[in-house]
Amino acid sequence: GLKYGYHVNGSKSWLIVKSQLLASEAERVFGSEVKITTEGRRHLGAVIGSTNYKEEYCNEKVNRWREEIEALSDIAKSQPHSAYVAFTKGFKSKFTYFMRTISSFEDYINPIEEAISELFFPALFGQEEPLPEELHEVITLSPPQGGLGIPALSEEAPQQYAASTSITRPHVEAILSQCTSMPEITNEIKNEQQSIKRANANAKRERIDESLPADLLLFVKQARDKGASSWLNAIPVEEQGLTLNKEEFKDSIRMRYGMPLPDLPSHCVCGSAFSVNHALSCKRGGFVARRHDGVRDLLTTLLSRVCNNVEAEPKIMPLDNEQFRLQSTNRSPDARLDIKAGEFWARGVTSFFDVRVSHVNSQCHQNKATSDIFKEQEAEKKRKYQQRILDVEMGTFTPLVFGTNGG
């Protein structure tokens, strides 16, 4: 107080005590300098006080959040990409602070989880009914683990609170002991919390994997491939061409988990029954060529910004009795690769690239890990072109192998 040069601002100061008796004693000591309550007050966004006050505060906060999720779910029906990014990049952070500062916050968040499960998830996936329970569990995983990064709040809340109390324990002990210096949070404490967080995430992933049917587990594992979830982290910036319309986004996340797509044609142009699996494999349907050309054209555009002499589908030098060690080397006089770029890997050296986009769930790839599929196709490209590029063009050759799962 005044003894130490601190002038109390009574209008902003609250003293929270546990009983009316203590309130009377506090009023005798402090007079009207501070406001006194036995109920509780909001403090730095969290709450301190009686159980009743805590319940009232948390329920009010949760009900307001539920209304916001309901509004976001309505937006998701027409703008699912924007709604998803808004939730994962911003809205869900609202919960984190309260889970870390209010004990047993999981007791109050059931209305939020109901709104997410019954309204937000169906809107993202383009359906009316709630998602199956096993898929609901998967979605709570992070995108690199095959989920969508929409947390299970009742499960996460006690973990967040435990982490918060653990990492702030040195400060609490210093305050209680009236230590004159505040200890630093050491790297050892931070590393310990990171280890616990990773262990919890891995245990959850393993538990969910054990409960999934084989067909869904296959798609979830494919979603864990490197790069397969990058599109979920993209901010929908229209100027950069990163926006997905409602049909594109809903179809993308349904395909991510092997769910059927609505309003598909009954037959392919080849005469076979139409399905997603068939469309991604049929040479006559057009999707095989479109996905290849789309990747090639995008890479050509990007390379042209940083390299010189960039060309799509360059014709490579004809042969003049050159001999190659591998019989599989392409010897055609009309041989072409997908992209040529000057000085990509080394100064004065031309680099050649060839794109392969494979449907990882086609019949010929059954029971194969996507990593094995990519390695096989990389080796096939090298057997076909690498020696000719090295010996004739004196350049470098890089196969670019992608999967329809995004990997």
Side-chain angles (χ1 to χ4, degrees), residues 170-362:
H171 289 167
V172 173
E173 292 174 351
I175 293 172
L176 292 176
S177 64
Q178 292 295 286
C179 182
T180 56
S181 61
M182 190 62 67
E184 293 184 4
I185 303 298
T186 64
N187 288 331
E188 182 180 353
I189 297 176
K190 294 179 182 178
N191 292 337
E192 179 185 0
Q193 290 305 312
Q194 288 297 323
S195 297
I196 294 174
K197 184 177 180 179
R198 284 193 296 269
N200 288 337
N202 291 335
K204 178 180 179 179
R205 184 196 64 210
E206 292 172 1
R207 173 179 58 80
I208 291 175
D209 284 359
E210 291 175 357
S211 67
L212 295 180
D215 54 347
L216 178 56
L217 181 59
L218 173 65
F219 283 98
V220 172
K221 287 185 175 180
Q222 290 176 354
R224 293 171 183 164
D225 285 346
K226 184 178 180 180
S229 300
S230 298
W231 66 279
L232 290 170
N233 290 319
I235 306 297
V237 180
E238 188 172 355
E239 291 79 3
Q240 298 295 326
L242 298 177
T243 55
L244 297 176
N245 64 39
K246 59 183 179 181
E247 186 177 72
E248 291 169 339
F249 184 84
K250 292 173 182 178
D251 286 355
S252 294
I253 58 173
R254 292 181 74 90
M255 290 175 64
R256 179 176 171 88
Y257 299 113
M259 300 174 67
L261 303 185
D263 303 323
L264 293 179
S266 58
H267 288 83
C268 177
V269 294
C270 71
S272 301
F274 192 93
S275 67
V276 172
N277 196 47
H278 174 79
L280 293 175
S281 302
C282 180
K283 298 296 192 296
R284 294 183 59 190
F287 290 104
V288 173
R290 285 178 60 188
R291 73 187 184 218
H292 170 275
D293 294 350
V295 173
R296 179 203 62 200
D297 294 344
L298 174 61
L299 293 174
T300 302
T301 300
L302 295 176
L303 283 170
S304 64
R305 298 179 181 179
V306 295
C307 297
N308 56 43
N309 194 27
V310 176
E311 183 181 347
E313 294 194 350
K315 188 174 181 180
I316 54 182
M317 293 183 191
L319 302 179
D320 292 304
N321 300 319
E322 285 91 350
Q323 300 298 314
F324 301 113
R325 177 175 53 84
L326 296 176
Q327 293 299 315
S328 57
T329 299
N330 188 325
R331 293 171 169 80
S332 170
D334 298 320
R336 293 176 180 270
L337 292 173
D338 283 319
I339 308 171
K340 177 178 75 173
E343 301 185 342
F344 182 84
W345 293 117
R347 185 179 296 276
V349 179
T350 300
S351 299
F352 292 84
F353 305 88
D354 206 50
V355 174
R356 177 77 175 266
V357 185
S358 181
H359 178 36
V360 295
N361 291 313
S362 63

Side-chain angles (χ1 to χ4, degrees), residues 38-50:
T38 58
E39 295 181 353
R41 294 294 296 176
R42 182 175 67 88
H43 178 64
L44 298 177
V47 62
I48 299 176
S50 66

Side-chain angles (χ1 to χ4, degrees), residues 129-189:
E129 64 278 4
L131 300 179
E133 184 61 31
E134 62 270 16
L135 183 55
H136 187 284
E137 285 278 299
V138 170
I139 288 173
T140 63
L141 296 171
S142 66
Q145 289 185 325
L148 294 180
I150 300 176
L153 300 177
S154 58
E155 182 179 325
E156 186 174 321
Q159 297 175 2
Q160 290 279 11
Y161 188 76
S164 177
T165 54
S166 176
I167 204 166
T168 57
R169 185 173 293 114
H171 289 167
V172 173
E173 292 174 351
I175 293 172
L176 292 176
S177 64
Q178 292 295 286
C179 182
T180 56
S181 61
M182 190 62 67
E184 293 184 4
I185 303 298
T186 64
N187 288 331
E188 182 180 353
I189 297 176

Side-chain angles (χ1 to χ4, degrees), residues 112-127:
I112 302 175
E113 292 198 308
E114 285 183 353
I116 292 174
S117 177
E118 298 173 4
L119 301 174
F120 190 59
F121 284 164
L124 288 181
F125 281 78
Q127 60 186 52

Side-chain angles (χ1 to χ4, degrees), residues 1-7:
L2 294 176
K3 180 180 178 181
Y4 296 97
Y6 178 74
H7 296 266

